[in-house]
Amino acid sequence: MVAPESGSLPTTSEHRDVAPAVTLEDLERALARGELQFHFQPRVSLVLGSVIGAEALIRWVRADGTTIPPAEFIPLAEASGFITRLTAAFFEQLLADLAIIHAVDPLLDVSFNVSAQDFESDDLTARICSVAQSGLVAKGRLEIELTETAVLGSGDAILARLQRLRACGVRLAMDDFGTGFSGLEALSRLPFSTIKLDQGLVRRVGSSDKDTALVEASIRMGHVAGLDIVAEGIEDQATYLQLQGWGCTVGQGYWMSRPLALDAFLDFVRRQPRWPAQPVGLVHMAMLDHIAWRKGIMDLVFYGTVDGERADAALAQRYATEPTDCRLGQWYYGGGQHFASDLAFQAIEGPHRVLHEIGQSLVAAALEGRPHAELIPKFRRLSEQSVRIIDLLQQLEAGLLASLCAPERRSIHDALCFRPPAA
Ligand code: C2E
Ligand code: MG
Ligand code: MG
C-alpha cells in the first residue's frame, strides 16, 4: 500500500514512546540500496502565480514500490543518531538533483529539512559552506529548514554554525512556525531568514475570527521583522486567496501540488502551471508600513519614545530618514517598481519626498526641545502628506482590483483566471 502524504512530523519525543514500524538495520540497508530518495513539493509565488522553487522531502520507496513516509523513520534516525549520516548522504543527493533541476530552470530555489543534531559538529556546516562558496549553487538558492522545537535551547556552538551558514549565503527557515511555544524566542536568537507558517495554523484560516486574525498577524509580524513568509498546507483556493490578500508571498500545499518524484516535478515545472497572481496584498502591506511609520514619528515627537523606548538622538535618527530608507520607500524603490507604469503609483513619489522633509525637520525640532505648540502645525502638514499617500495607495489598489473584475466576470474568483495545471 502506498502511504498517503502525511502532515507535519510529530516531535521526536512523542515518537520515542511508539514502537517503530522499521528498524535501524532496515533503514541502513535502505540507504545502502538507494531506496531513499527526495520528492519535491512545488513552492508557488502568491504574487506571480508561478512555481519559484520546491521543498525536498525524503521518501523511502521499497523495491516492491511501497512508500514509507518520513514520520515513520526520521524519529528513529534522530533517536539513534543515524540522522547525521542520513543528512550528509542526502545533501549530496540534493546537489545531484539540483543540477538536474537547474538545467530545466536555473532560478528555482530548493529547501531541505535538517535536524538540530546535524549542527552538533562542524561537518554539515563546513560542507554546505564549501558548496555555497564554490558557486555550485547560486547564492540564496539554497535554504535549510529547522523546526523551532529542534533549535529550542540550542547552545552557542549551534548558533555560530547557523550564523556561518547565513554568512555563506544559505537561507534559514523556521519550519512549522506556530506549533511550538518558543517561536518568538527562537526567532529573536537565531538568524532565520524565513518563517514557514505551519499547516495546522494555515488550516485554521476562516475557521474562527480569532484563528484567522492569528494567521494574518503572523504574516504581518514576519514582514515587520524583515523575514520571508512561506505558508504551508494550502489545501484550497479560498485559503490561497486569503493568504495572498494579507501579503503572504510564497505558499505550498496540496491545492497547488503534492510532493512529486524528481521526473514528475520536472514535468510539472516544464508545463508552467499558473495560479492566481495578485499583488494587492503587497499594497495593503505598504499602507500598514506607512501608518506604522507615521505612528512612530508621532510617538517620538510628542512622547519622546521610539518603539516604546525613551528616544535619544541616535534612536530618533531612525525616523529622520531619506524617502528611500523607510519601509514604504524600500518597497517603492524596490519590489513596488512592478507598478512603475501606474499613474497613482508614480504620484506617490512627490508627497512621500515632502513627508520625509517634514519628518526630518520635526525630529530636529523635537531633539532641540521645541514646545509642542510649535510642533503641531508641522505634524498637521505631515499628516496631510500621509493622507495623500494612503489615498494614492488605495487608488493603486482599486486599479488592480478593477483589472481583475471585467464586467462579464461574476465573482472575484472567476476574475482571477485560475487554470488548474494540466494533468
Ligand atoms: P515538513 O518539513 O513540515 O514538511 C511538510 C509536510 O507536510 C510534508 O510531509 C508534506 O508532504 C506535507 N504537506 C504539504 N502540503 C500539504 C497539504 O496541503 N496538506 C497536508 N495535509 N500535508 C501537506 P512529509 O513529506 O510526510 O514530511 C513530514 C516531515 O518529515 C517534514 O515536515 C519534515 O519535518 C520531515 N522530513 C521530511 N524530509 C526530511 C529530511 O530529508 N530530513 C529531515 N531531517 N526531516 C525530513
Ligand atoms: Mg519542512
Ligand atoms: Mg513544515
Side-chain angles (χ1 to χ4, degrees):
M1 194 191 79
V2 175
E5 292 294 349
S6 69
S8 283
L9 192 64
T11 63
T12 306
S13 57
E14 282 167 6
H15 267 247
R16 278 188 184 136
D17 301 335
V18 178
V22 291
T23 66
L24 185 57
E25 291 69 39
D26 292 338
L27 192 52
E28 284 173 338
R29 258 197 307 273
L31 181 63
R33 287 184 187 144
E35 289 181 357
L36 299 174
Q37 54 180 251
F38 273 134
H39 280 200
F40 294 88
Q41 183 172 41
R43 278 184 175 195
V44 172
S45 160
L46 273 51
V47 178
L48 304 172
S50 55
V51 177
I52 53 161
E55 175 176 3
L57 292 156
I58 206 166
R59 292 288 178 274
W60 178 347
V61 184
R62 285 184 150 143
D64 62 4
T66 56
T67 303
I68 303 177
E72 286 182 33
F73 60 89
I74 293 286
L76 171 71
E78 285 180 340
S80 62
F82 184 62
I83 192 73
T84 52
R85 265 181 63 200
L86 198 62
T87 308
F90 263 75
F91 181 64
E92 303 309 316
Q93 182 62 52
L94 186 76
L95 293 179
D97 290 352
L98 211 49
I100 298 170
I101 291 171
H102 281 166
V104 173
D105 183 344
L107 297 180
L108 294 178
D109 301 337
V110 173
S111 70
F112 75 110
N113 297 275
V114 295
S115 299
Q117 284 176 53
D118 294 318
F119 294 103
E120 281 169 10
S121 86
D122 268 334
D123 299 350
L124 184 71
T125 310
R127 177 67 184 131
I128 297 177
C129 280
S130 85
V131 166
Q133 283 162 342
S134 69
L136 217 57
V137 180
K139 207 169 163 48
R141 294 264 168 270
L142 196 62
E143 182 167 81
I144 59 175
E145 300 192 7
L146 264 171
T147 61
E148 58 184 273
T149 329
V151 290
L152 185 68
S154 54
D156 289 347
I158 291 185
L159 173 63
R161 289 181 187 115
L162 296 178
Q163 281 167 337
R164 192 170 147 210
L165 281 174
R166 293 285 287 121
C168 294
V170 176
R171 304 176 55 71
L172 182 64
M174 177 190 278
D175 208 350
D176 303 344
F177 179 80
T179 49
F181 46 85
S182 62
L184 296 184
E185 209 259 78
L187 270 185
S188 110
R189 213 162 55 81
L190 299 170
F192 287 104
S193 51
T194 307
I195 50 174
K196 294 197 72 180
L197 301 181
D198 180 62
Q199 51 183 283
L201 191 69
V202 168
R203 208 170 294 129
R204 288 200 287 274
V205 168
S207 66
S208 76
D209 287 352
K210 190 166 94 180
D211 284 341
T212 305
L214 285 175
V215 181
E216 183 183 5
S218 301
I219 294 170
R220 178 74 195 148
M221 184 214 66
H223 174 82
V224 173
L227 299 165
D228 290 334
I229 306 131
V230 179
E232 58 183 18
I234 300 177
E235 294 191 345
D236 53 51
Q237 182 173 6
T239 305
Y240 177 103
L241 295 176
Q242 183 73 83
L243 291 164
Q244 188 183 50
W246 286 329
C248 177
T249 49
V250 180
Q252 59 187 81
Y254 290 175
W255 185 62
M256 291 89 99
S257 171
R258 288 187 174 243
L260 302 168
L262 179 61
D263 285 347
F265 174 68
L266 296 175
D267 285 346
F268 190 83
V269 170
R270 285 194 194 98
R271 287 202 299 271
Q272 301 188 332
R274 286 280 180 271
W275 297 270
Q278 181 46 266
V280 161
L282 300 185
V283 179
H284 172 66
M285 240 0 149
M287 282 186 220
L288 295 179
D289 286 343
H290 173 64
I291 289 169
W293 184 89
R294 181 185 171 280
K295 170 79 165 72
I297 210 159
M298 187 182 87
D299 287 351
L300 169 70
V301 169
F302 294 104
Y303 305 111
T305 61
V306 174
D307 299 345
E309 289 176 52
R310 216 60 237 135
D312 59 21
L315 270 179
Q317 289 312 313
R318 196 190 299 172
Y319 285 88
T321 54
E322 296 298 319
T324 43
D325 295 336
C326 68
R327 208 171 268 130
L328 175 72
Q330 284 169 14
W331 170 78
Y332 190 86
Y333 296 102
Q337 287 298 313
H338 180 76
F339 307 110
S341 61
D342 184 284
L343 292 179
F345 180 83
Q346 291 167 12
I348 292 171
E349 187 162 26
H352 188 229
R353 197 170 15 80
V354 177
L355 177 102
H356 274 267
E357 284 163 13
I358 301 171
Q360 285 163 4
S361 89
L362 250 178
V363 171
L367 289 176
E368 282 168 20
R370 313 298 304 166
H372 280 189
E374 272 182 44
L375 304 178
I376 293 283
K378 276 188 204 283
F379 190 65
R380 286 220 175 93
R381 286 202 293 120
L382 181 127
S383 293
E384 281 161 18
Q385 299 304 317
S386 171
V387 167
R388 180 81 188 115
I389 289 168
I390 294 289
D391 178 39
L392 288 164
L393 284 167
Q394 289 186 0
Q395 287 181 36
L396 172 64
E397 186 185 51
L400 292 171
L401 293 172
S403 70
L404 293 174
C405 302
E408 70 280 9
R409 299 200 169 117
R410 280 165 295 123
S411 74
I412 190 122
H413 287 213
D414 295 338
L416 287 166
C417 314
F418 171 63
R419 264 173 243 100

